[in-house]
Amino acid sequence: MRFIKIIAVITLFMVGAYALSMYYFVDESKNFQIEKEIDYPVDKVFSQFNNLQNFTRWNNFFKNSQSIDIDYYTPYEGQGSAISYTDPKNDTDGEMFIRYENPNKTLRYQLFEDKNENPTLVDVKFKTLSANKTKITWYVHTPKLSVLRRVQNFWTEDRFAENIDKSMITLRNVLGNKVEKDNQLAAIKYDSLMVENEEGKLLLGINVSASNKKDALYRNIVMNYNKVYNYVTMDLGKKDDEFGYPMLMTDADNYKDKEVSYFIGIPLSKKMGVTDNNFSFRTVNPSQNYVMYYKGTYAGRVKAIQQLIQKAKKDEMRFGDVQQTFIERPMEDQDVNLKLSLTVFK
């Protein structure tokens, strides 16, 4: 009995010492700011922050959990928009609101976590550094904590900073794909032959052999594109703005053959685990290409490919694969919108 009393006194003393140290040496709330720069225009960046459906796709807090369930509330974008979330696996839930918006300049978020009636306030300011560079500053004010919970303030800033670091990597990938798509659409000149230096790409897709009869080949391409798209979006959980245009790789002149072998894939930013053996990664090396944009029936692309090959032969260039990039996703019984690229070299 005496031993129990001694333990109780020691425990009471330690709790008291802890409470006193928290009271006198640790602030009941924290204020801090974090600054980042990103190489994209402010309007492109801001739209990823004021649209909460966009925001949850790249923000690591939401994106990193496979078990989180998010509900979105109108108006979905800008001041007054809100979400609620619950994550049973990680035993957390909360609500997030946009309380104030000054377009392309300022946003104020209010975040309620785990039934805490006091919110975390986050002001995010956007500053244009150049036409293609934006500075983002987070001003964070955490809620007041009781003396016994105040120890959390020791790691709040580090946890927030780590989340931003991981989120910025994904945001750059998302914006990179968006800007690349916008630039490609703006630069299209149909039926004009151009020379371009193409960057390397990493494709996730499938190898296929198919009949080259009039409509059978295109139907096969549509079917296999849908397989790749469904795997990337459903099994890998990727959103449309996280990857580039689908690309089909094939020999330059196999349009003459009775059977065509091709690889159709979707560009991703990095390799990841693939559990289905039907799918594989393929690296497309940087190259110089002869390029034509074509819009019409899929069968009609042959004339454009022949023009690319004739140009290469005229210039005494050797050539490799033809890359067929679908600017608009391939759909059965519809015309295609293609970027045809013939890899050339001396």
Side-chain angles (χ1 to χ4, degrees), residues 56 59-72 83-90 92-94:
T56 53
N59 187 280
N60 185 70
F61 179 81
F62 299 100
K63 180 181 178 296
N64 199 43
S65 173
Q66 299 297 316
S67 58
I68 197 166
D69 181 53
I70 306 172
D71 291 317
Y72 300 87
I83 60 172
S84 63
Y85 65 90
T86 180
D87 190 345
K89 186 174 180 180
N90 294 306
T92 185
D93 58 65

Side-chain angles (χ1 to χ4, degrees), residues 172-318:
R172 287 185 178 95
N173 291 334
V174 168
L175 286 171
N177 286 324
K178 277 184 171 292
V179 169
E180 180 186 359
K181 289 180 179 179
D182 290 345
N183 289 344
Q184 284 189 7
L185 288 172
I188 288 179
K189 295 178 182 177
Y190 290 100
D191 304 318
S192 297
L193 201 153
M194 297 166 282
V195 180
E196 291 185 2
N197 291 318
E198 297 277 359
E199 296 181 355
K201 290 182 174 66
L202 178 69
L203 304 179
L204 176 63
I206 51 180
N207 286 294
V208 182
S209 290
S211 168
N212 196 17
K213 291 181 181 178
K214 185 178 179 182
D215 297 320
L217 176 59
Y218 185 58
R219 285 199 300 269
N220 186 269
I221 290 170
V222 172
M223 179 184 69
N224 284 294
Y225 162 74
N226 288 331
K227 286 181 183 178
V228 177
Y229 179 82
N230 289 337
Y231 186 76
V232 169
T233 55
M234 298 176 69
D235 292 72
L236 300 184
K238 296 291 184 181
K239 305 297 183 183
D240 284 358
D241 54 13
E242 293 184 77
F243 51 83
Y245 293 116
M247 181 183 289
L248 184 150
M249 309 283 295
T250 188
D251 291 339
D253 56 1
N254 74 351
Y255 59 84
K256 306 172 186 174
D257 301 334
K258 292 182 179 180
E259 189 170 86
V260 172
S261 296
Y262 66 87
F263 179 90
I264 187 165
I266 287 176
L268 297 179
S269 58
K270 62 180 180 180
K271 283 190 176 183
M272 56 193 63
V274 174
T275 55
D276 190 329
N277 292 331
N278 291 310
F279 299 91
S280 61
F281 283 97
R282 178 166 175 172
T283 300
V284 180
N285 294 322
S287 60
Q288 184 183 67
N289 293 346
Y290 287 170
V291 172
M292 287 187 73
Y293 286 91
Y294 165 79
K295 199 168 189 178
T297 65
Y298 186 71
R301 82 202 183 284
V302 171
K303 184 178 178 181
I305 294 173
Q306 288 172 333
Q307 287 180 257
L308 294 173
I309 293 174
Q310 289 168 5
K311 171 67 173 172
K313 289 179 177 178
K314 182 181 177 181
D315 294 344
E316 297 182 346
M317 302 286 281
R318 291 183 292 166

Side-chain angles (χ1 to χ4, degrees), residues 18-35:
Y18 167 80
L20 285 172
S21 64
M22 291 296 106
Y23 182 82
Y24 284 107
F25 299 113
V26 181
D27 294 331
E28 61 182 357
S29 64
K30 288 205 72 171
N31 295 295
F32 56 89
Q33 71 180 63
I34 296 172
E35 294 182 352

Side-chain angles (χ1 to χ4, degrees), residues 145-156:
L145 295 177
S146 64
V147 169
L148 294 180
R149 295 181 58 207
R150 215 171 280 183
V151 68
Q152 295 178 27
N153 284 334
F154 280 125
W155 56 77
T156 296

Side-chain angles (χ1 to χ4, degrees), residues 323-336:
Q323 303 168 10
Q324 302 177 29
T325 303
F326 289 86
I327 306 301
E328 297 173 7
R329 62 186 294 179
M331 299 179 69
E332 199 165 333
D333 300 323
Q334 291 193 16
D335 285 349
V336 294

